[in-house]
């Protein structure tokens, strides 16, 4: 009986050991499975991230860069259809005229909406009947009215030659000892071909309309005028040198401003002696008070730099009065708010459009209710901004406190709750943390009616730079990039003030050549110009 009990005890111990081994094996298997699932989740997240990156690269290269739908782009597929429709309409009209079945009933007008601008030159062509004699023999008919119609015409760009004649006068009574002649005017290019208007047109064509000098030379050649691109570049350089004091004064005007926007974009520059192209940067500083009815005129100034570092931003803003600077999330701007690195620290306000763009791009590749909700909530804020644009700062601030602040206050806890539901390494979690980390700067617009919600103003001012960069390929040197920046500053400021840059540059060059005094330089600013 004792032996049977001992055997039973041994058997129980053996079973317990087997159970422990099995339990350990199960635990190990579960741990291995959990590790494998974790690696699989990480792999899937990495794969999804790579797929989003590839899709984004494709959109950046081949698709629209704006997340806002352009209505004109929606019409592109129908343009060829409309051309074909026009051909059919013309054929139908011709057939109706040939058969005498032309309809006299008025058709719905498809002409340009509104009327042609009144400033356009009107050239009248009166079409009289072959005879105004009454067919009954009563004599000459009396005019009782007329039908008038306006059509838009164009005269292709044409050149002309300005001939300067300076007559010489002598006194015959004193054997020519006394004589008089008007002094020769100062020209931009001594004994050169161009007028100020031609040089202004050349500069604006390249730096405002994205037309490189070699393409302009081809256009001139079609008119029988052989102008080398290097000649066009030389003329523009001479003009830029004369316009430098104006751009310096624009910078001085900016330095007195307390609410600015800042951004940067890449610009390719040919590295001397290497045959390679270096990636440099053009930094833009914008003042635009039109959103809140400020009195200072809008100004944008570009600066060339080899770096995108915070030191460049600090150097560019030396001597500025300080205040609030609206920027994107680039960490190079962080030092501007640090008293240890900046003599006059700035209050940094961050751009909501940049944050919104992250969710838009993520949602394009991975449908996400979080992204849809986030974009919808930001749209509510922009609806408020649309209503207060152009109003006084106090009214803007009051409306934001009443309408926008509750939306913003509810947004943060909602995002923090969503963050707990997402894997910490996911891209969507990273996009949420981007904004939460910059929350104070993002919400600064609520308490200051002079601030915008975004840096769209400076981004719009920068837009011509990438287009010029795409067509011109690169700047030939550091000096060329600096000239590019300064001319772009002048053209951009003209556009912000609703001034025709061709007319402004031509008139201003003429004033400078006529010895306009430096102390009256304010009279030469784009915002004081009138045609």
């Amino acid at each position: 009986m004792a032996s049977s009990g001992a055997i039973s005890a041994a058997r129980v111990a053996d079973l317990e050991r087997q159970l422990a081994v099995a339990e350990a094996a199960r635990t190990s298997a579960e741990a291995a499975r959990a590790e494998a699932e974790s690696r699989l989740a990480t792999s899937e997240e990495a794969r999804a991230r790579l797929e989003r990156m590839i899709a984004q690269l494709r959109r950046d290269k081949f698709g629209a860069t704006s997340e806002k739908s352009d209505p004109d782009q929606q019409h592109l597929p129908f343009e060829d259809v409309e051309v074909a429709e026009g051909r059919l309409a013309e054929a139908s009209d011709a057939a109706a005229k040939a058969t005498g079945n032309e309809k006299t009933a008025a058709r719905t007008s498809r002409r340009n909406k509104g009327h042609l601008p009144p400033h356009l030159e009107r050239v009248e062509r009166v079409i009289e009947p072959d005879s105004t004699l009454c067919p009954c023999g009563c004599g000459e008919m009396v005019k009782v009215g007329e039908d008038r119609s306006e059509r838009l015409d164009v005269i292709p760009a044409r050149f002309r030659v300005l001939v300067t004649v300076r007559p010489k006068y002598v006194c015959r009574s004193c054997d020519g000892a006394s004589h008089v002649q008007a002094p020769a005017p100062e020209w931009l290019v001594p004994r050169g071909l161009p007028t100020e208007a031609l040089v202004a047109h050349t500069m604006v064509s390249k730096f405002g309309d994205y037309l490189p000098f070699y393409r302009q030379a081809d256009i001139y050649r079609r008119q029988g005028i052989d102008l080398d691109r290097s000649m066009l570049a030389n003329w523009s350089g001479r003009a830029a040198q004369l316009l430098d004091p104006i751009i310096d004064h624009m910078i001085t005007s900016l330095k007195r401003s307390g609410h600015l926007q800042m951004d940067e974009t890449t610009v390719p520059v040919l590295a001397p002696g290497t045959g390679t192209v270096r990636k440099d940067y053009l930094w833009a500083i914008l003042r635009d008070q039109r959103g809140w009815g400020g009195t200072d005129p809008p100004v944008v100034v570009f600066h060339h730099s080899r770096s995108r570092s915070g030191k460049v931003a600090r150097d560019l803003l030396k001597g500025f009065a300080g205040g609030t600077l609206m920027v994107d999330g680039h960490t190079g701007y962080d030092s501007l708010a640090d008293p240890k690195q900046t003599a006059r620290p700035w209050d940094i306000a961050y751009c909501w459009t940049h944050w919104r763009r992250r969710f838009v791009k993520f949602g394009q590749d991975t449908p996400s209710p979080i992204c849809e909700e986030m974009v919808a909530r930001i749209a509510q804020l922009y609806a408020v901004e649309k209503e207060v644009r152009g109003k006084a700062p106090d009214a803007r601030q009051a409306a934001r406190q009443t309408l926008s602040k509750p939306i913003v206050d509810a947004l943060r806890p909602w995002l923090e709750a969503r963050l707990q539901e997402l894997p910490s390494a996911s891209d969507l979690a990273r996009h949420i943390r981007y904004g939460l980390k910059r929350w104070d700067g993002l919400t600064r617009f609520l308490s200051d009616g002079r601030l915008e919600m975004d840096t769209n103003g400076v981004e719009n001012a920068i837009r011509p730079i990438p287009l010029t960069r795409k067509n011109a390929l690169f700047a030939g040197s550091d000096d060329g990039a600096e000239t590019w920046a300064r001319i772009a500053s002048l053209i951009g400021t003209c556009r912000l003030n609703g001034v025709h840059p061709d007319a402004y540059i031509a008139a201003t060059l003429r004033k400078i050549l006529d010895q306009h005094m430096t102390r009256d330089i304010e009279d030469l600013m784009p915002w004081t110009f009138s045609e």
Side-chain angles (χ1 to χ4, degrees):
M1 191 70 180
S3 176
S4 176
I7 293 173
S8 298
R11 181 60 177 167
V12 170
D14 184 56
L15 290 174
E16 289 177 346
R17 283 194 300 271
Q18 293 180 22
L19 182 60
V21 171
E23 184 67 23
R26 186 183 65 82
T27 303
S28 178
E30 288 182 351
R33 182 174 61 83
E35 183 180 357
E37 289 178 350
S38 177
R39 288 199 302 267
L40 179 60
T42 303
S43 298
E44 285 297 313
E45 176 65 25
R47 182 187 62 79
R49 185 182 298 112
L50 289 173
E51 288 181 349
R52 285 193 295 270
M53 291 173 62
I54 292 172
Q56 184 59 47
L57 287 172
R58 286 175 177 165
R59 274 195 304 274
D60 291 344
K61 187 171 182 62
F62 304 110
T65 56
S66 172
E67 60 269 18
K68 182 179 179 180
S69 176
D70 186 348
D72 287 336
Q73 290 182 341
Q74 298 176 7
H75 299 156
L76 290 177
F78 303 103
E79 290 184 353
D80 291 336
V81 176
E82 291 165 346
V83 171
E85 181 185 356
R87 287 174 59 90
L88 292 174
E90 179 61 26
S92 176
D93 291 347
K97 291 179 181 178
T99 58
N101 296 325
E102 185 177 3
K103 296 180 180 179
T104 57
R107 292 183 294 181
T108 302
S109 175
R110 300 188 64 182
R111 293 175 294 177
N112 189 41
K113 294 180 179 180
H115 301 284
L116 295 176
H119 71 270
L120 295 180
E121 176 189 4
R122 258 65 177 180
V123 179
E124 290 193 2
R125 188 180 78 166
V126 180
I127 305 176
E128 293 283 2
D130 293 336
S131 174
T132 58
L133 296 176
C134 178
C136 301
C138 303
E140 190 77 20
M141 294 184 181
V142 178
K143 179 180 178 180
V144 294
E146 63 184 14
D147 291 331
R148 302 178 69 92
S149 60
E150 292 190 345
R151 298 183 300 156
L152 186 62
D153 191 24
V154 61
I155 301 175
R158 58 185 181 182
F159 295 91
R160 63 181 183 178
V161 179
L162 296 185
V163 181
T164 302
V165 181
R166 296 185 299 124
K168 297 179 181 180
Y169 297 90
V170 298
C171 179
R172 295 297 187 185
S173 301
C174 51
D175 300 326
S178 298
H179 63 276
V180 66
Q181 184 182 26
E186 190 73 22
W187 290 354
L188 177 63
V189 181
R191 297 180 298 279
L193 289 175
T195 64
E196 296 78 36
L198 178 59
V199 175
H201 176 73
T202 299
M203 296 172 69
V204 174
S205 293
K206 174 169 182 177
F207 299 103
D209 298 331
Y210 339 119
L211 197 62
F213 289 137
Y214 78 90
R215 293 187 184 175
Q216 295 184 50
D218 288 341
I219 294 173
Y220 297 154
R221 198 170 292 115
R222 291 201 297 268
Q223 298 272 8
I225 302 172
D226 190 9
L227 299 177
D228 187 80
R229 63 176 182 80
S230 61
M231 184 183 296
L232 302 178
N234 179 271
W235 295 347
S236 296
R238 287 173 176 269
Q241 181 69 23
L242 290 180
L243 295 169
D244 270 350
I246 295 175
I247 300 164
D248 292 337
H249 189 74
M250 287 164 48
I251 297 173
T252 301
S253 177
L254 271 183
K255 289 184 176 181
R256 299 192 294 265
S257 305
H259 290 74
L260 300 173
Q261 294 185 17
M262 196 170 184
D263 201 359
E264 76 289 330
T265 187
T266 59
V267 56
V269 178
L270 188 63
T274 65
T276 61
V277 175
R278 187 180 65 233
K279 185 174 74 172
D280 287 3
Y281 293 88
L282 286 188
W283 295 70
I285 305 174
L286 171 78
R287 176 184 69 200
D288 191 350
Q289 302 178 353
R290 292 174 294 179
W292 50 273
T295 58
D296 291 338
V299 180
V300 62
V301 173
F302 294 92
H303 299 270
H304 166 248
S305 171
R306 293 192 180 186
S307 170
R308 196 191 180 200
S309 68
K311 182 180 183 304
V312 175
R314 295 195 301 272
D315 290 342
L316 292 178
L317 294 176
K318 281 183 179 178
F320 279 67
T324 304
L325 186 68
M326 173 72 72
V327 298
D328 57 23
H330 174 43
T331 55
Y333 297 113
D334 294 346
S335 63
L336 296 173
D338 187 353
K340 297 180 180 178
Q341 302 186 61
T342 306
R344 294 180 177 177
W346 291 79
D347 294 327
I348 302 298
Y350 290 110
C351 171
W352 280 82
T353 295
H354 279 80
W355 194 19
R356 174 185 179 275
R357 189 173 297 148
R358 288 171 168 260
F359 295 96
V360 171
K361 290 183 176 180
F362 186 92
Q364 288 173 339
D365 305 312
T366 307
S368 168
I370 295 177
C371 292
E372 294 176 1
E373 178 69 16
M374 183 65 180
V375 172
R377 293 193 182 207
I378 294 178
Q380 294 175 359
L381 296 176
Y382 273 104
V384 177
E385 292 303 299
K386 183 178 180 180
E387 295 298 323
V388 301
R389 178 157 184 81
K391 295 184 179 180
D394 291 344
R396 285 160 60 93
Q397 180 180 346
R400 287 169 173 174
Q401 289 291 319
T402 302
L403 303 175
S404 300
K405 192 173 185 301
I407 301 173
V408 174
D409 289 344
L411 181 61
R412 181 163 190 167
W414 179 78
L415 286 172
E416 290 173 340
R418 302 290 79 73
L419 199 59
Q420 299 299 319
E421 302 170 358
L422 296 169
S424 60
S426 69
D427 283 345
L428 189 52
R430 180 166 55 86
H431 298 333
I432 293 176
R433 287 195 295 268
Y434 170 93
L436 295 179
K437 179 181 177 181
R438 297 167 174 82
W439 193 257
D440 290 343
L442 284 168
T443 57
R444 200 177 298 278
F445 80 100
L446 295 172
S447 56
D448 191 340
R450 293 167 296 181
L451 287 179
E452 302 296 339
M453 265 187 66
D454 51 47
T455 59
N456 287 354
V458 69
E459 285 193 347
N460 290 335
I462 277 180
R463 187 164 290 119
I465 301 297
L467 293 172
T468 303
R469 177 182 67 207
K470 180 179 180 180
N471 289 335
L473 300 183
F474 53 81
S477 65
D478 285 355
D479 290 340
E482 183 61 29
T483 300
W484 183 351
R486 294 178 77 81
I487 296 177
S489 301
L490 206 56
I491 294 174
T493 300
C494 284
R495 287 175 167 169
L496 287 172
N497 288 275
V499 171
H500 196 305
D502 291 70
Y504 166 76
I505 293 177
T508 303
L509 286 174
R510 186 67 263 164
K511 290 179 181 179
I512 294 174
L513 292 170
D514 289 341
Q515 306 301 314
H516 187 282
M517 302 301 292
T518 305
R519 64 174 177 268
D520 300 328
I521 196 169
E522 182 66 29
D523 297 337
L524 298 181
M525 292 298 105
W527 49 83
T528 64
F529 177 74
S530 60
E531 299 184 45

